[in-house]
């Protein structure tokens, strides 16, 4: 009745931006990401103890944060088809302090894997991905390592909307992602709210959906050929297009700041000088740079020269996994 799992975050190369069903978290389009090591979240779940209790990074979770965790465990209880009793959850991330990095993808993936194991359910990446998705959409792509594709699915019940691994972490060991923390502040508009506002008000949104879906097989091909330049170009283009849909919302939504733009400018200059480095950008001002092992030091230097407060160098990460030691 007790299990612990560790999961890594992921960075989308083709982004997920917008839901067709907010309750089940079903996306309008498919997305594709790379799992990142060494950053990780570890979560222990135990059923059948005192009362429901959720502790995240040393603090008792309250409000919607607590609700999201407990709602996911409700799904575990339904799948187990037995009375598991109350649940205790303790979760810890090793992300740099207030780094502006979202740990929710790794957090919900670790919770899904640990929750299923604590309930005695068998290891099943597809079921765990569906479960993680209901906590946070991008979390479905952190159940497995390497390059994962979240297929939007067609069904109304979401049973065909989960992530599948296309290439494992060992496929492209030379690939590097360098996270540049330019701003540690909480973002003003969370991804969940920003994407809803964009779906509801941006006239560019239908074009985004069509285009992102088309980019998936192309991204897959570039990864199959380990073509960094083609993947880098696609990844930048896709990030710009996601941000363009939000800029066209009413009122407009801009996640970039002047530091972000300065870094992008500098990156282009470096690329002209032969440094193979590209960027992607989630719903915030902190770019993630895509490069290879031979240039990760140069990519870090570039980020620091542009005022990065912190830089985290990442390599392709592995699957979420069960751990023998528990957090409590
Ligand atoms: C810009 O997965 O955090 O990072 O499903 O509402 O929890 P919810 O949203 P979330 O959104 C991630 C958006 C993104 C792009 C991506 O990771 O694909």
């Amino acid at each position: 009745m007790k299990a612990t799992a560790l999961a890594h975050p992921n960075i989308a190369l083709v982004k997920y931006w917008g839901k067709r069903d907010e309750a089940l978290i079903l996306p309008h389009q498919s997305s594709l990401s790379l799992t990142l090591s060494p950053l990780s979240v570890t979560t222990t779940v135990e059923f059948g103890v005192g009362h429901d209790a959720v502790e995240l990074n040393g603090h008792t979770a309250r409000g919607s944060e607590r609700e999201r965790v407990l709602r996911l465990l409700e799904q575990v209880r339904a799948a187990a088809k037995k009375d598991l009793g109350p649940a205790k959850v303790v979760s810890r991330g090793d992300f740099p302090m207030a780094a502006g990095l979202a740990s929710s993808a790794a957090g919900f993936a670790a919770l899904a894997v640990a929750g299923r194991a604590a309930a005695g359910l068998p290891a099943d990446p597809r079921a765990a991905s569906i479960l993680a998705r209901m906590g946070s959409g991008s979390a479905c792509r952190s159940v497995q390592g390497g390059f994962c594709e979240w297929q939007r699915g067609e069904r109304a019940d979401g049973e065909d909307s989960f992530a599948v691994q296309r290439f494992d972490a060992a496929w492209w060991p030379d690939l590097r992602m360098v996270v540049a923390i330019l701003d540690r502040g909480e973002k003003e508009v969370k991804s969940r709210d920003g994407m809803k506002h964009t779906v509801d008000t941006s006239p560019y949104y239908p074009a985004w959906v069509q285009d992102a879906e088309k980019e998936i097989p192309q991204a897959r091909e570039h990864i199959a050929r380990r073509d960094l330049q083609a993947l880098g170009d696609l990844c930048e283009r896709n990030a710009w297009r996601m941000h363009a849909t939000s800029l066209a919302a009413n009122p407009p939504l801009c996640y970039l700041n002047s530091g972000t733009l300065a870094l992008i400018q500098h990156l282009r200059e470096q690329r002209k000088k032969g440094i193979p480095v590209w960027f992607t950008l989630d719903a915030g001002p902190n770019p993630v740079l895509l490069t290879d092992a031979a240039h990760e030091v140069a990519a870090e230097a570039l980020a620091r020269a542009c005022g990065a407060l912190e830089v985290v160098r990442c390599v392709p990460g592995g699957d979420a996994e069960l751990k023998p030691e528990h957090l409590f």
Side-chain angles (χ1 to χ4, degrees):
M1 296 281 265
K2 186 172 185 175
T4 298
L6 174 147
H8 299 290
N10 70 77
I11 181 81
L13 306 176
V14 177
K15 310 286 180 195
Y16 141 57
W17 196 240
K19 299 174 182 67
R20 63 180 201 273
D21 183 317
E22 283 167 32
L24 291 174
I25 311 201
L26 299 177
H28 275 291
Q29 27 81 223
S30 306
S31 54
L32 187 148
S33 62
L34 174 64
T35 303
L36 300 181
S37 184
L39 299 173
S40 69
V41 172
T42 302
T43 301
T44 299
V45 178
E46 183 171 17
F47 286 107
V49 285
H51 55 91
D52 284 337
V54 181
E55 184 195 303
L56 304 177
N57 292 321
H59 299 285
T60 303
R62 299 189 196 287
S64 64
E65 207 176 35
R66 174 184 155 93
E67 285 315 307
R68 274 168 85 175
V69 170
L70 295 180
R71 220 178 306 132
L72 191 148
L73 294 177
E74 268 314 308
Q75 302 288 331
V76 174
R77 290 187 178 94
K81 297 193 184 83
K82 58 182 171 198
D83 183 14
L84 297 165
K88 180 172 178 188
V89 177
V90 174
S91 183
R92 263 176 233 153
D94 62 2
F95 286 44
M97 282 289 288
L101 282 172
S103 61
S104 63
F108 282 108
L111 179 68
V113 172
R116 282 182 57 86
L121 292 162
D124 179 343
R126 175 186 162 154
S129 179
I130 290 177
L131 188 60
R133 187 203 77 216
M134 292 197 249
S136 183
S138 54
C140 77
R141 301 184 311 233
S142 271
V143 168
Q144 288 182 287
F147 295 90
C148 291
E149 198 178 301
W150 175 10
Q151 300 170 330
R152 72 182 288 282
E154 300 298 330
R155 292 171 54 146
D157 65 3
E159 286 303 302
D160 59 353
S161 188
F162 53 88
V164 290
Q165 186 186 61
R166 291 292 179 200
F167 303 89
D168 69 14
W171 174 251
W172 199 341
D174 202 37
L175 194 64
R176 294 290 181 274
M177 304 297 283
V178 176
V179 186
I181 313 296
L182 298 172
D183 186 338
R184 288 198 173 110
E186 278 271 310
K187 54 188 172 200
E188 276 167 43
V189 183
K190 290 190 170 26
S191 299
R192 186 160 289 193
D193 303 327
M195 68 174 83
K196 177 166 170 38
H197 178 63
T198 304
V199 174
D200 290 347
T201 69
S202 176
Y204 294 2
Y205 190 72
W208 155 259
V209 172
Q210 260 187 15
D211 178 71
E213 202 65 53
K214 275 201 298 224
E215 297 275 50
I216 299 274
Q218 291 179 27
R220 214 187 290 145
E221 269 175 44
H222 301 330
I223 298 164
R225 283 188 279 106
R226 298 192 191 90
D227 185 338
L228 182 60
Q229 165 144 17
L231 185 64
D233 285 345
L234 182 150
C235 177
E236 279 194 5
R237 193 167 66 226
N238 181 266
W240 276 126
R241 288 178 182 174
M242 182 197 105
H243 286 270
T245 60
S246 300
L247 285 167
N250 187 16
L253 188 53
C254 181
Y255 283 106
L256 294 73
N257 64 24
S258 55
T260 318
L261 290 171
L263 191 149
I264 292 171
Q265 188 73 34
H266 189 50
L267 180 147
R268 285 183 175 158
E269 285 157 17
Q270 294 300 304
R271 208 151 66 208
K272 279 191 202 135
K273 290 183 189 156
I275 309 266
V277 58
W278 289 263
F279 76 91
T280 184
L281 204 54
D282 279 348
N286 298 321
V288 177
L289 311 184
L290 180 73
T291 188
D292 59 17
H295 296 90
E296 64 176 333
V297 172
E300 171 163 358
L302 183 160
R304 293 209 186 269
C306 293
L309 307 168
E310 200 157 352
V311 175
V312 188
R313 288 198 226 159
C314 298
V315 299
D319 296 350
E321 52 181 337
L322 289 170
K323 291 281 174 192
E325 315 86 32
H326 303 302
L327 292 179
F328 61 89

